[in-house]
Amino acid sequence: AQKITQTQPGMFVQEKEAVTLDCTYDTSDQSYGLFWYKQPSSGEMIFLIYQGSYDEQNATEGRYSLNFQKARKSANLVISASQLGDSAMYFCAMREKSGGSNYKLTFGKGTLLTVNP
Amino acid sequence: DAGITQSPRYKITETGRQVTLMCHQTWSHSYMFWYRQDLGHGLRLIYYSAAADITDKGEVPDGYVVSRSKTENFPLTLESATRSQTSVYFCASSENGFYGYTFGSGTRLTVV
């Protein structure tokens, strides 16, 4: 079963508008972490934002915020005031313990965001 | 230079050949990871390592071998390359596995 589900293969948004990228996750751990990464066409993986499972406040980093709904197991990324440079692939990822001891990071399939001028 | 480096950046190999992708990090991070990225699949975890001499299988380990004799290096070997292993491979590291995952620039491998 997929651990991280990103249901939007592609999204379009107008420049300067806000956009929400969906992410749901599945884990039985109480302690876990959720990450969002951006991958522009150049290919590098850029860390955007992190939310720990025990964090009570939603994480924010500049124009990025994470809408964390623990009971629904969702961790949606909100990008405010979209810019042309935000056009990229976006990945949601989850850190959890494997076999009770070591950590691992698993990814969703990604959402390709296109910002239109 | 400080950071995480992968080599080579690009590699073309023939079916059946053994090929090794290198990953080197200068931070002495405990954790290192190998992923492959394919269209429609996102990044899938191949193997990971919590420390030197400790490795674990990820989601798609078949056909791959790893070793970690030194903390800073985590080579990935395809023992007998197949066309289905054509992919972009990313290495990542993290100090403690809890946070702060940093990725290399990737290796684009083509198996012909």
Side-chain angles (χ1 to χ4, degrees), chain A residues 7-70:
Chain A
T7 56
Q8 307 152 314
M11 288 280 286
F12 292 89
V13 65
Q14 286 299 120
E15 194 177 7
K16 300 180 185 175
E17 291 185 352
V19 62
T20 298
L21 307 184
D22 295 341
C23 174
T24 58
Y25 59 91
D26 181 28
T27 182
S28 55
D29 287 358
Q30 296 302 308
S31 175
Y32 53 90
L34 297 153
F35 300 74
W36 277 92
Y37 284 84
K38 173 184 178 181
Q39 187 182 45
S41 57
S42 52
E44 70 266 34
M45 294 290 288
I46 301 168
F47 167 74
L48 295 178
I49 196 166
Y50 168 80
Q51 178 86 39
S53 59
Y54 293 119
D55 295 341
E56 296 191 351
Q57 304 270 7
N58 284 344
T60 60
E61 290 285 350
R63 294 186 299 110
Y64 304 108
S65 60
L66 200 152
N67 184 0
F68 181 47
Q69 297 187 43
K70 195 170 181 177

Side-chain angles (χ1 to χ4, degrees), chain B residues 10-28:
Chain B
Y10 302 91
K11 176 75 176 177
I12 300 174
T13 192
E14 293 179 340
T15 302
R17 288 194 179 263
Q18 180 177 344
V19 61
T20 296
L21 310 184
M22 303 301 295
C23 181
H24 174 78
Q25 50 102 357
T26 61
W27 297 299
S28 298

Side-chain angles (χ1 to χ4, degrees), chain A residues 37 39 95 98 103 105 109, chain B residues 31 35 37 40 48 97-98 101:
Chain A
Y37 284 84
Q39 187 182 45
R95 178 213 71 232
S98 172
Y103 293 111
L105 185 70
K109 294 184 178 182
Chain B
Y31 279 78
Y35 295 89
Q37 182 177 12
Y48 62 108
F98 194 83
Y101 290 78

Side-chain angles (χ1 to χ4, degrees), chain A residues 11-19 63 79-87 113-117:
Chain A
M11 288 280 286
F12 292 89
V13 65
Q14 286 299 120
E15 194 177 7
K16 300 180 185 175
E17 291 185 352
V19 62
R63 294 186 299 110
I79 306 174
S80 63
S82 297
Q83 302 172 357
L84 296 178
D86 293 334
S87 293
L113 177 67
T114 302
V115 180
N116 293 318

Side-chain angles (χ1 to χ4, degrees), chain B residues 1-5 23-33 49-52 68-74 92-97 99-100 102:
Chain B
D1 290 337
I4 181 166
T5 55
C23 181
H24 174 78
Q25 50 102 357
T26 61
W27 297 299
S28 298
H29 282 175
S30 292
Y31 279 78
M32 295 186 76
F33 303 80
S49 169
R68 193 156 176 221
S69 56
K70 291 184 177 182
T71 298
E72 61 267 28
N73 296 325
F74 192 38
S93 72
S94 167
E95 183 177 7
N96 52 22
Y99 184 75
T102 304

